[in-house]
Amino acid sequence: MKKIILSLSIILTIVLSACGEKEEVDSLQKVMDQGYIILGLDDTFAPMGFRDEDGEVTGFDIDLAKAVAIELGVELRIQPIEWDSKVLELNSGNIDMIWNGLTITDERLETINFSEPYLNNRQIVLVREGFKLTDLQGLSGLSVGVQIDSSGQSALEGNSIFSSIGEFVKFNTFTEALLDLESERIDAIVIDEIMARYIVSQNTYDVIVTDVSLGDEEYGIGFRLGEDTLRLKIDEVLNQLSDDGVTQNISNTWFGEDIFRKW
C-alpha cells in the first residue's frame, strides 16, 4: 500500500511539474518561432482599429502594431473578435494580444496582463445634434447606450447617476448605438472620447461631443496573465519607436498632433 501511495505521489509531482512548465512558456519566443503575432480587436472601433471603405482593417493602433511587428521581424495577423469575449479569445490562444483602445481598469487587471499605458482617454457622453446636456445629472430619466463589456459600461454602472437613468441599453458595437442615437431610440451614448471626436470629425452622424465626463482613463495592450516576455518586449519596442519619432508620425496622421504617451 505504501509503495502504491509513493508511486502516485511521484506521478503527481511529474504532472504538476509539467503543468508548471506549460505556464512558464516564453511568449516572446513562441511568437518568434511561429513567425507571426495575432492581434485581436473590435473592427468597428474607429480610429483605433476599424474597416475602411475597401473593407481593410486600419487605424491608429493597427499602424502602431504594424511598426512593432516590423521591429520584431514577424508578420502581423489581425483577428476581429466579439468584444465581450476578448478575454476568452486571449486565454484560448486564438489571439496573442488585444490592441484596440483597451482601457486599463482594476477589474480587467484581474484577467489581463497589461502593457504600460500608451494613450490617455476619457469616457464622455455623446448626444444628437441640438440636444443640450451640461452635466451628468442631465442623464436622469434618459435612455443611455453603451457597448457591451466596454469601459463606458463600467464607468456608467459605477457612477451614482446610474440609478437615475431611464433605460440602460447595451449594444454589440458602437455603430449600432450610433444608429439608434440618430433615430432617437436612445438619448445618449457613453463612449471613449477619442472615438467620439473622430466620429464627429468624419461628419458621418449628426452627433456632438459633450464635455460631460465619467472620468479619465488610460489605454494599454492586453496579454495573457503570466506571459511577460512578449509584453515587456513590446513595451521596449514602443519606447524605441517613440525615440525614433515613429509613434509621433503615426499619431500626427490620425489626430493631427502627438498624443502618444511615452513612459
Side-chain angles (χ1 to χ4, degrees):
M1 185 67 175
K2 289 182 179 179
K3 290 181 179 179
I4 294 175
I5 292 173
L6 180 60
S7 298
L8 288 174
S9 177
I10 293 172
I11 292 172
L12 181 60
T13 300
I14 294 172
V15 170
L16 289 174
S17 297
C19 291
E21 289 173 2
K22 185 176 181 180
E23 291 174 357
E24 295 173 4
V25 166
D26 186 326
S27 49
L28 173 61
Q29 191 60 52
K30 174 178 174 290
V31 165
M32 301 302 289
D33 289 345
Q34 66 190 18
Y36 59 85
I37 186 167
I38 306 174
L39 180 156
L41 82 164
D42 163 17
D43 61 0
T44 67
F45 195 66
M48 312 311 288
F50 65 105
R51 293 191 183 276
D52 62 18
E53 294 178 352
D54 298 322
E56 297 297 319
V57 177
T58 186
F60 174 73
D61 281 342
I62 301 303
D63 285 351
L64 284 180
K66 286 179 178 177
V68 167
I70 289 172
E71 291 299 312
L72 293 178
V74 298
E75 173 192 355
L76 176 67
R77 296 187 180 180
I78 298 170
Q79 179 61 55
I81 59 174
E82 293 294 330
W83 195 242
D84 58 340
S85 300
K86 55 187 172 296
V87 175
L88 178 62
E89 294 281 355
L90 191 63
N91 290 338
S92 66
N94 290 337
I95 58 176
D96 297 307
M97 57 185 178
I98 307 165
W99 198 339
N100 191 210
L102 180 65
T103 300
I104 302 171
T105 66
D106 290 339
E107 181 181 7
R108 286 176 176 168
L109 283 168
E110 296 178 0
T111 56
I112 296 174
N113 186 14
F114 274 97
S115 70
E116 293 290 339
Y118 67 94
L119 215 61
N120 295 325
N121 185 48
R122 293 192 305 166
Q123 288 300 319
I124 56 89
V125 181
L126 192 68
V127 297
R128 286 186 300 279
E129 187 75 42
F131 194 100
K132 301 297 183 183
L133 186 73
T134 58
D135 55 37
L136 278 176
Q137 298 309 312
L139 293 177
S140 295
L142 299 185
S143 177
V144 184
V146 298
Q147 184 185 36
I148 294 175
D149 201 35
S150 66
S151 51
Q153 177 180 338
S154 299
L156 183 58
E157 290 176 335
N159 193 283
S160 59
I161 195 62
F162 182 67
S163 60
S164 301
I165 63 174
E167 184 182 10
F168 183 44
V169 186
K170 292 180 279 188
F171 297 90
N172 287 322
T173 68
F174 279 117
T175 301
E176 296 172 11
L178 285 160
L179 291 172
D180 271 20
L181 180 63
E182 262 201 328
S183 61
E184 301 186 18
R185 286 190 287 269
I186 59 174
D187 301 308
I189 299 173
V190 177
I191 187 172
D192 295 58
E193 182 176 26
I194 285 178
M195 182 183 192
R197 294 199 180 281
Y198 180 80
I199 290 168
V200 170
S201 74
Q202 299 302 298
N203 296 314
T204 307
Y205 302 92
D206 293 325
V207 294
I208 57 173
V209 177
T210 72
D211 198 38
V212 178
S213 171
L214 284 86
D216 299 333
E217 60 184 34
E218 301 169 320
Y219 283 166
I221 309 161
F223 303 90
R224 279 180 287 276
L225 289 178
E227 294 191 356
D228 292 327
T229 53
L230 181 61
R231 171 182 62 82
L232 292 170
K233 182 61 177 179
I234 288 182
D235 277 346
E236 176 189 322
V237 171
L238 280 173
N239 250 335
Q240 186 59 55
L241 290 173
S242 179
D243 289 341
D244 295 341
V246 176
T247 60
Q248 289 90 330
N249 290 337
I250 293 172
S251 184
N252 284 325
T253 297
W254 285 101
F255 303 111
E257 60 180 316
D258 181 16
I259 64 172
F260 182 83
R261 174 179 164 180
K262 183 175 167 53
W263 48 91

